[in-house]
Amino acid sequence: MTRAGVVWAAVVASLVLLILLIVFILQNQDQVLVQFMGFEGALPLGMALFIASVTGGVLVAAAGGARILQLRANARRARAPKRR
């Protein structure tokens, strides 16, 4: 296994997922009414679900990033006394 092979496999998997996502959005074109915190609008069901999933992913990534920064700060503090 080479890095190029792993990247190629990741690209192929991503393209398959993207094709499935496009099919999902195209099959769910019914307009739905979306209400959120006083805002209201109509958009296709597939797009509404896609926006919701991306928003959830962004929130999870933000929480994970904050945890990684917290762990790095703790590791840096733990190493600091040993340097002296």
Side-chain angles (χ1 to χ4, degrees):
M1 291 185 77
T2 63
R3 287 185 185 180
V6 171
V7 169
W8 182 82
V11 168
V12 169
S14 298
L15 286 175
V16 169
L17 286 174
L18 184 61
I19 290 168
L20 292 173
L21 180 64
I22 290 170
V23 169
F24 174 78
I25 290 173
L26 290 175
Q27 287 181 344
N28 290 286
Q29 287 294 313
D30 297 335
Q31 291 287 320
V32 293
L33 182 63
V34 178
Q35 299 173 344
F36 181 70
M37 297 179 70
F39 297 104
E40 186 175 311
L43 65 149
L45 175 62
M47 189 57 63
L49 292 172
F50 176 70
I51 291 169
S53 65
V54 168
T55 303
V58 167
L59 291 175
V60 168
R67 181 66 178 148
I68 288 170
L69 291 175
Q70 184 182 40
L71 291 172
R72 284 184 181 175
N74 287 343
R76 196 174 305 121
R77 273 188 246 120
R79 282 193 310 256
K82 294 178 182 178
R83 290 184 184 172
R84 293 179 185 171

